[in-house]
Amino acid sequence: GNSVTQMEGPVTLSEEAFLTINCTYTATGYPSLFWYVQYPGEGLQLLLKATKADDKGSNKGFEATYRKETTSFHLEKGSVQVSDSAVYFCALKTSYDKVIFGPGTSLSVIP
Amino acid sequence: NAGVTQTPKFQVLKTGQSMTLQCAQDMNHNSMYWYRQDPGMGLRLIYYSASEGTTDKGEVPNGYNVSRLNKREFSLRLESAAPSQTSVYFCASSVGGNLETQYFGPGTRLLVL
């Protein structure tokens, strides 16, 4: 079946450090891929998405590239800020299925 | 534009009690969803409604019922709450069809004693 695996946290970084959160997936067909972010006490918000192989999604300085050959969609940011502290969820959706979420990765950025 | 709203924000129940979690969206979305979020398990789909008048089971439907009252509202009912249902519940909506972006409410934190 379809599934999403992502690195488990918590991840703690200093401000301005480089961020990578790994995400790999298993899916039939050609899924769309997403990163959602959940700030403390809030619901999830779409951060970025990519709908086909080699697409790059980007938003708020975050990027992720859809790599079909490695079935990956790793999230990166060049310089994190304290305000980026949140839980990040990788997710996928195939054409006739619901969205499937990974377990989430907690990020804490310290000044 | 309120987006997706949920009530209540927090609830404490005793085992065996019943309650209904309310969700409403004002974005004219066709599809609505109920998820539960538990530590280390991400979000698990309880029920969803692809359109007004239809509902379908998700990954973890046991112990829950839903009602798609109209296009705006999608409620989740616990008939006899159990401690295993202690969780944070999120409602979400999307345009539907093959447009995947979901919009989430702020969540309801439920504690069953």
Side-chain angles (χ1 to χ4, degrees):
Chain A
N2 300 328
S3 65
V4 175
T5 302
Q6 59 180 108
M7 59 189 291
E8 296 194 24
V11 174
T12 302
L13 295 174
S14 297
E15 207 165 21
E16 299 184 2
F18 185 86
L19 168 71
T20 300
I21 300 179
N22 290 336
C23 171
T24 57
Y25 67 90
T26 301
T28 54
Y30 303 95
S32 295
L33 301 173
F34 309 83
W35 277 100
Y36 281 82
V37 59
Q38 183 181 30
Y39 298 104
E42 298 183 10
L44 279 70
Q45 305 172 26
L46 180 67
L47 180 59
L48 53 85
K49 68 178 182 181
T51 57
K52 61 183 187 297
D54 300 325
D55 268 2
K56 177 184 284 187
S58 61
N59 186 26
K60 299 181 180 180
F62 291 89
E63 293 183 340
T65 301
Y66 189 143
R67 302 286 188 198
K68 192 171 187 297
E69 64 277 12
T70 55
T71 62
S72 64
F73 193 54
H74 304 322
L75 182 68
E76 297 181 335
K77 186 175 185 182
S79 176
V80 293
Q81 306 300 313
V82 172
S83 57
D84 293 327
S85 297
V87 181
Y88 293 82
F89 292 89
C90 186
L92 70 80
K93 183 183 185 300
T94 57
S95 298
Y96 300 102
D97 205 350
K98 283 70 68 182
V99 177
I100 296 172
F101 291 88
T105 300
S106 175
L107 170 66
S108 293
V109 180
I110 55 177
Chain B
N1 191 339
V4 180
T5 57
Q6 293 183 235
T7 56
K9 291 185 178 180
F10 180 73
Q11 183 73 46
V12 179
L13 291 178
K14 295 181 179 178
T15 297
Q17 287 185 317
S18 62
M19 79 162 294
T20 300
L21 282 66
Q22 306 286 354
C23 173
Q25 52 90 9
D26 62 1
M27 296 174 283
N28 202 35
H29 284 171
N30 291 310
S31 300
M32 298 185 73
Y33 312 83
W34 276 106
Y35 293 91
R36 58 178 291 173
Q37 183 180 30
D38 302 293
M41 302 188 74
L43 274 75
R44 293 182 292 170
L45 184 65
I46 304 171
Y47 271 94
Y48 70 102
S49 170
S51 62
E52 185 179 356
T54 68
T55 61
D56 287 286
K57 295 179 180 179
E59 182 184 355
V60 288
N62 291 344
Y64 306 94
N65 285 299
V66 291
S67 295
R68 183 74 182 268
L69 303 170
N70 47 55
K71 193 170 186 179
R72 291 187 64 249
E73 299 172 289
F74 188 39
S75 63
L76 178 72
R77 183 160 178 83
L78 287 70
E79 290 291 350
S80 179
S84 61
Q85 294 178 303
T86 293
S87 187
V88 181
Y89 292 85
F90 288 99
C91 177
S93 70
S94 66
V95 172
N98 210 31
L99 297 176
E100 308 92 344
T101 301
Q102 295 189 3
Y103 297 82
F104 284 80
T108 294
R109 188 172 296 273
L110 176 66
L111 175 63
V112 183
L113 302 175

